[in-house]
Amino acid sequence: MLFNSVSFAIFFIFVFFFYWFVFNKSLKWQNIFLAVCSYFFYGCWDWRFMFLLGFSTFLDYFSGLQIAESKTSFKKKFWLILSVGINLAFLGFFKYYNFFVESFAQLLLSAGFTPHMTTLNIILPVGISFYTFHGLSYVFDIYFGKIKPTRNWIDYSLFVSFFPLLVAGPIERATHLLPQVEKTRVFNYSKAVDGLRQILWGLFKKIVVADNCAELVNTIFNNHENYSGSTLVLGAMLFAIQIYGDFSGYSDIALGTARLLGFELLQNFRFPYFSRDIAEFWRRWHISLSSWFRDYLYFPLGGSRGSMAKTIRNTFVIFLVSGFWHGANWTFLAWGGLNALFIMPSIVFKTNRKNLDTVAEGRMLPSVRESFQLITTFCLASLAWVFFRAESITDAFFYIKRIFSESLFQRPDVISGKVLLIVVVFMVIEWLGRQNRYALEKLTLKWNRYLSWSFYYLLILAILCLTGSEQQFIYFQF
Amino acid sequence: MIHFLYKVRLFLVLPVFIAFVSILVFLFCDPFKIVRKYDNYSGYKVNLEYVTMSKFDEKYQKERYDSFIFGSSRVLGFRASSWQKYLKQDSHVYVFSAYYENLTGFYNKLKYLDSLGIPIKNSLVLIDPDLTFEVVDYESKGFFAVKHPNVSSNTWFHFYLAHISAYFTFSYQKQMYSELLGLTKEPVQSGAIRDIDKVFDPLTNEFSCPNVDSYIEKLDSNNYFFTNVYRFPTILDENIIKENKIQPDFRKILEEIKEIFMKHKTEFKIIISPLYSQIRFNNSDMDVLYDIFGENLYDFSGRNFITVSKYNYYEHSHYRPHVGDTILKLINQHN
C-alpha cells in the first residue's frame, strides 16, 4: 500500500474517521486501533513479515524492561548486547547474507580457489532497517539512562509500528515519539490543515517531480554507454533531484499524515540542495538517520573530542556504515566513502559548523559567493549519487569517466522540456520556502483564500495530469 | 473538527465537480473503447488484452474457436491465415495477445479456456527471451498493459480507474492531440507502431499493420531502414542471458501448461522468438524448456539468418509477418 495509491487514501480516510470519531473517548483504544491499523498496513506488503515485526517489537520491549530492572552493569550490558545482537542478526540475514556470501566467494575465486557456496532466495522485509533502528534507539536510550522503559505493550508496539513512519522513516526516537503516544491527543485545526498541505506537497514532489525525473534518469543510467558526457551530467543531476523528491516527498506525506492524527514526527529534510558545503548538506539530508548515527555511533566512538586522526577515523566510520545501511552493495559503501572524502576538508580545517543558518537569510537571492558554494555542493552531491544509482562500482566509474570526455560539451542527447520545467518550478518553490519546515508551510499564508486555493488546485491538477511512470519509493528497498 | 471537515468539503467541491464532468466525458468519448462494445477496434489506442478478451468472450460460442496463438504484441509477426494453412480445414483460429505478456498471463488465458470447457486442438505459443519469464509490473507500463480482470486478480474498478487516470495525463493528451492534428507523420514512432495503424481482424483477432507494410514497400526499402536507423541499434554479438530466468515457480507453471495441453490432446508448438537484439536463454534455461516441451520447442532466438537482418523487423522490438511465415514453413517442414 503505497502512500501515492488510491488504496492508501481509502485506508487513511477510514483510519482518520474511526480514530477521531469512534475511539476519541479513550487513549488506550485509540492506540490499540492505530497499532492494529499499522500491522494491517504492514501486512499489505507481505503478511508473513508481521511476525518479524512483532518479534522485533517484543524483543526490544522485553530487553528494555530487563535493562531497567537489572541491578548490575554486567546484566544491563548482557540485555543490551542480546537485543542489539539479535536485531542486527535479523537485519544482517535478510539484508546482507547474500552480499557477504557472494563477496566471500569472489574473494576465494580471485585467490585461485573454486568456492561452492549457495545464496538464498531471500525477500527483504520492507522497512526492516527503519524499524530495527527505532527499536535500537529505544534500548540504547534506556541503557544510557535517557528514558525509563514503558510498561505498556500497546504503546510500545505503536511506537515501533506507527504506519506513517514504519516503512521509510523518519527514524523516530523514543524520547520524542513515545511521550506523544502516551499523552492524550486533541484535534487541532491549524495542525490538521498544515498536515494536509504537507501531504499535498509531498505528493507533488513524489508524483510530479521524482517520477518524471525517474523516466529520464532510468533511460540515461540504463544505457549510459551510448550517451554523451553532457547527457550523463544531466542524468546525474536529475537523479539528485529524483531521489530528493522521492524520499523527502515520502517524509512529507508521513509527517503530514501523522500530524492529522495529532503526532509530530522528526523533520527529515531541510532543503539539502541549498547547502553551502557538504557538512551543511549532511545536516539537512535524511536528518533522522544522520543524527541516529551521530548519537549512537559517532559519539560513543569519541566523536571529535580526541585527536584529528581519531576524528577522521570516526567520520569515515559513520559514513561507511551509513552507506552500508542503505544496502548490500559496494556502490553504497563507495557512496558513503566519497561523501566522507568530500566532508574531510571541513573536518580538517574545522569549518564544518560554519554554515548553521539558512542560505541568503532575509534576502531573495544568494550572493555570488553563496551561489558558487551552492552549485559546488550540488555538483559534489550529484557526483556521489552516481555511485548510489549505478548497478556496480565499474558502472559508476565508467559513467564518470565518460562524463569527462569531449562529449561533455555537446548538446545533451536526451532532453525533456516538460521535466526541465517541472524541476525549475519545483526548485523555485523550494527556494522561496527554504526557511520553513517544508516549502509550502508559509508560502500561501498571506495570500487570500481564492489565490491559495487556486494554487492548491493547480498542484492537484499537476499531480493528476503530470504523473510519471515510476511508482515505488526508492527508500522502500532499504 | 466540524470546522475542519466543513473546509475540506468546501475545498473538494470543485475537484469533485471536475472529476464528475471528466468521468462523464470519458464515458461519452470512450477513448480506449472499454465502456461500450465495438465491432472493430482497429486504429484506436487500446488495451490489447482487453480487446482480445472481450472479443473472445463475445464470439467464442458462435465461432467455436479451437486453435489459438498466444503471445505478446509480437504476435504481430504471425498471421492467423498463414497458420490456418497448416491446420485442418475446419479449424477455427483465434489470436490471444497482450502487451508485455509474460508466462503468467499466457497461463491464465489457457486456464480460462480450460475452465470454459473450450477444446484446445492446436496451439502456437510465442516465448520472448526478454519478456516471458520476467515479473512484469503492469501498472507502471501504462493503461494499455493493465490486466483484464477475467485473467488476473484485478478488479473491474481497478481496471477502469487505471484507464480513466491515464486519459487525463499530460502525456496521453499530448500524444492524442499530436495524432489528431497530424503532427506524427511516420507510422512508427519512438520504437512502436502508431495506434492508428493497428488493425484487428474481427474474426480471428489477428493483429497487423498493413499501412506500415505498404509504407515500407512504397518507399525504397533501403530508404525506410536508412532513415529509421536509430530504431535498429547495432548488435555486435549474440546476447546470452547470464542468469537463469526459469525459476522454480515458472517451471511449475510450464509443467501445468503442458498438463493442460495433454488433457486437451493439443497439437502445440512453442516458438522462441527471433529478436533483433539476438538475445537468447542460457543453456540451463534451454534445458528446462527442452525437458518439458521436448520436440515441440522451436528456438529461433540468438544470432541466425533472421536476426542478422534488420529488414525482418519494423523496429528493434517487432518482427514482420514474412518472418512468421518463414518460421511456420520451417517448423511444419520439420514435422
Side-chain angles (χ1 to χ4, degrees), chain B residues 2-46:
Chain B
I2 302 298
H3 182 52
F4 174 74
L5 292 179
Y6 169 74
K7 277 286 182 66
V8 170
R9 238 171 35 206
L10 200 64
F11 182 79
L12 288 178
V13 168
L14 185 65
V16 167
F17 175 73
I18 292 172
F20 181 71
V21 172
S22 304
I23 290 170
L24 284 183
V25 169
F26 183 86
L27 293 176
F28 180 74
C29 298
D30 196 9
F32 305 133
K33 311 293 163 207
I34 58 168
V35 179
R36 294 180 285 277
K37 297 272 176 217
Y38 295 86
D39 291 332
N40 198 344
Y41 290 87
S42 304
Y44 299 109
K45 191 172 187 71
V46 285

Side-chain angles (χ1 to χ4, degrees), chain B residues 127-144:
Chain B
I127 286 183
D128 301 324
D130 61 349
L131 186 60
T132 304
F133 297 101
E134 294 295 321
V135 178
V136 183
D137 176 12
Y138 290 100
E139 302 301 307
S140 68
K141 300 288 181 192
F143 75 91
F144 48 83

Side-chain angles (χ1 to χ4, degrees), chain A residues 47-103:
Chain A
W47 62 271
R48 291 168 297 182
F49 293 133
M50 285 162 60
F51 297 103
L52 188 67
L53 176 64
F55 177 77
S56 172
T57 306
F58 171 76
L59 174 73
D60 297 329
Y61 175 75
F62 187 71
S63 305
L65 287 175
Q66 293 306 313
I67 290 169
E69 282 168 12
S70 297
K71 298 278 186 268
T72 63
S73 63
F74 174 78
K75 271 191 175 176
K76 278 182 194 288
K77 202 169 261 179
F78 168 79
W79 284 107
L80 176 75
I81 291 170
L82 185 79
S83 170
V84 173
I86 295 176
N87 270 306
L88 293 184
F90 272 123
L91 191 61
F93 174 74
F94 282 105
K95 204 163 170 175
Y96 302 107
Y97 175 81
N98 283 343
F99 171 74
F100 282 124
V101 169
E102 283 165 8
S103 300

Side-chain angles (χ1 to χ4, degrees), chain A residues 1-171:
Chain A
M1 205 192 298
L2 297 171
F3 276 2
N4 50 338
S5 65
V6 175
S7 48
F8 179 76
I10 294 167
F11 165 78
F12 185 68
I13 291 169
F14 167 84
V15 172
F16 182 86
F17 277 93
F18 272 79
Y19 178 78
W20 287 117
F21 289 103
V22 178
F23 298 109
N24 58 332
K25 298 280 189 294
S26 154
L27 176 67
K28 183 183 158 193
W29 279 104
Q30 267 188 333
N31 287 350
I32 291 174
F33 175 67
L34 278 186
V36 170
C37 289
S38 297
Y39 269 78
F40 171 78
F41 174 80
Y42 194 61
C44 286
W45 266 282
D46 194 325
W47 62 271
R48 291 168 297 182
F49 293 133
M50 285 162 60
F51 297 103
L52 188 67
L53 176 64
F55 177 77
S56 172
T57 306
F58 171 76
L59 174 73
D60 297 329
Y61 175 75
F62 187 71
S63 305
L65 287 175
Q66 293 306 313
I67 290 169
E69 282 168 12
S70 297
K71 298 278 186 268
T72 63
S73 63
F74 174 78
K75 271 191 175 176
K76 278 182 194 288
K77 202 169 261 179
F78 168 79
W79 284 107
L80 176 75
I81 291 170
L82 185 79
S83 170
V84 173
I86 295 176
N87 270 306
L88 293 184
F90 272 123
L91 191 61
F93 174 74
F94 282 105
K95 204 163 170 175
Y96 302 107
Y97 175 81
N98 283 343
F99 171 74
F100 282 124
V101 169
E102 283 165 8
S103 300
F104 188 57
Q106 199 65 42
L107 190 74
L108 289 178
L109 202 66
S110 56
F113 298 97
T114 314
H116 294 286
M117 291 173 168
T118 46
T119 52
L120 300 175
N121 190 15
I122 299 169
I123 306 166
L124 181 69
V126 65
I128 188 169
S129 307
F130 290 93
Y131 65 71
T132 301
F133 272 42
H134 283 156
L136 286 180
S137 79
Y138 172 75
V139 179
F140 282 135
D141 284 349
I142 293 171
Y143 181 80
F144 291 118
K146 286 184 191 169
I147 52 164
K148 289 201 165 87
T150 176
R151 292 183 183 277
N152 188 323
W153 162 252
I154 297 295
D155 287 359
Y156 183 71
S157 291
L158 179 57
F159 160 70
V160 177
S161 66
F162 187 39
F163 70 87
L165 51 82
L166 180 59
V167 289
I171 300 168

Side-chain angles (χ1 to χ4, degrees), chain B residues 258 262 267-271 292-298:
Chain B
K258 194 182 175 188
M262 293 292 116
E267 286 284 330
F268 69 95
K269 289 182 166 54
I270 313 281
I271 296 167
I292 297 170
F293 297 117
E295 59 187 16
N296 294 307
L297 183 73
Y298 300 90

Side-chain angles (χ1 to χ4, degrees), chain B residues 188-252:
Chain B
V188 181
Q189 292 287 328
S190 327
I193 289 152
R194 272 191 321 189
D195 299 305
I196 53 170
D197 293 309
K198 292 172 186 167
V199 173
F200 297 95
D201 183 274
L203 205 62
T204 63
N205 195 37
E206 178 186 289
F207 172 35
S208 61
C209 312
N211 278 353
V212 185
D213 291 322
S214 58
Y215 174 82
I216 292 172
E217 281 154 22
K218 264 183 218 164
L219 290 166
D220 169 30
S221 65
N222 276 322
N223 189 10
Y224 170 79
F225 292 102
F226 178 73
T227 53
N228 293 284
V229 68
Y230 63 94
R231 287 181 194 125
F232 301 97
T234 311
I235 307 297
L236 297 173
D237 206 356
E238 192 171 62
N239 184 0
I240 300 173
I241 302 170
K242 282 181 199 151
E243 72 269 30
N244 293 346
K245 286 282 172 192
I246 308 178
Q247 298 296 326
D249 290 356
F250 281 137
R251 189 186 167 112
K252 202 170 159 235

Side-chain angles (χ1 to χ4, degrees), chain A residues 6 10 16-17 20-21 121 187 189 192-193 196 200 260 418 449 452-453 456-457 460-461 464-467 469-471, chain B residues 1-8 10-15 18 137 139-141 157 161 165 168-171 174 247-248:
Chain A
V6 175
I10 294 167
F16 182 86
F17 277 93
W20 287 117
F21 289 103
N121 190 15
F187 183 83
Y189 172 79
V193 172
L196 282 178
L200 180 64
L260 278 165
K418 181 181 88 172
R449 189 206 282 178
S452 58
W453 281 25
Y456 299 146
Y457 286 140
I460 293 172
L461 195 69
L464 294 174
C465 297
L466 296 173
T467 314
S469 62
E470 192 82 24
Q471 291 191 333
Chain B
M1 174 61 90
I2 302 298
H3 182 52
F4 174 74
L5 292 179
Y6 169 74
K7 277 286 182 66
V8 170
L10 200 64
F11 182 79
L12 288 178
V13 168
L14 185 65
I18 292 172
D137 176 12
E139 302 301 307
S140 68
K141 300 288 181 192
F157 172 75
L161 187 68
S165 321
F168 294 102
T169 57
F170 174 77
S171 52
K174 186 182 154 198
Q247 298 296 326

